[in-house]
Amino acid sequence: MSSLVHTSEFCKSVFDLGQLPGDGLPEIAFAGRSNVGKSSLMNRLLNRRNLVKVSSRPGFTQSLNFFLVNGRVYFVDLPGYGFARAPKHVIRQWHRLVDGYLEGSEYLRAVVCILDIRRRPDPLDLDLLEYLNSIGRSICVVLNKADKISQPKRKARLKEIGQVLPAFVSDIVVVSAKTGEGVPGLCSTLFSRVD
Ligand code: GDP
């Protein structure tokens, strides 16, 4: 567990950009393909078992969920992307809300892009990274589910993924939301972005 997080609380769900907190606190957003373990990882970071809802199957929830950490930074849970069967209007709504936020927030300091360490990043993942870079966002790539890969195989996986990721990705952190491995280090990295 991360000892850097002393308090965490759910603040609000934002369905419309007019509902953003607007209190000037810095924000760190979390993006990931549905089922990559975004909720599990955020719960680990927030030191809470179930603050962020862990879905047993992908849902179509379309809100930005704000969690206040240590009373001084928001962790923002973005809706998961990449539903195989999402209706077109759901995808359109995702873009309106998420793109509007990512492009417009004055307080957003970094976007954590969570990938599954077992999977090669695909065009959808790469599109998101390219998009974030094109709008000038600072990116931290997190490879989750490290517990699923044995230590000897990790180096080769990391090399393979590193070759696919664009050169502008400089921060790559390996974690397991299940075991907590790598999570304190990720927490320090993120806090260093808002200090
Ligand atoms: P989300 O849709 O991205 O929010 O993903 P969830 O947090 O709901 O996790 C999806 C599934 O992956 C759940 O069954 C989790 O228990 C599992 N999971 C998440 N993180 C890890 C991890 O680090 N290791 C393993 N083995 N399973 C994980």
Side-chain angles (χ1 to χ4, degrees), residues 48-90:
R48 298 284 285 268
R49 192 174 294 235
N50 243 330
L51 192 60
V52 184
K53 201 182 147 296
V54 174
S55 49
S56 54
R57 65 190 179 84
F60 293 150
T61 314
Q62 300 289 296
S63 58
L64 313 174
N65 296 318
F66 281 70
F67 299 87
L68 183 61
V69 183
N70 293 349
R72 68 184 187 104
V73 52
Y74 286 116
F75 282 7
V76 184
D77 184 18
L78 303 178
Y81 61 88
F83 310 116
R85 298 179 309 280
K88 281 215 168 57
H89 75 272
V90 170

Side-chain angles (χ1 to χ4, degrees), residues 26-50:
E27 300 160 353
I28 294 177
F30 292 76
R33 181 182 281 279
S34 189
N35 221 35
V36 77
K38 176 161 57 69
S39 315
S40 305
L41 179 61
M42 289 188 73
N43 281 323
R44 266 286 177 188
L45 283 164
L46 296 169
N47 264 336
R48 298 284 285 268
R49 192 174 294 235
N50 243 330

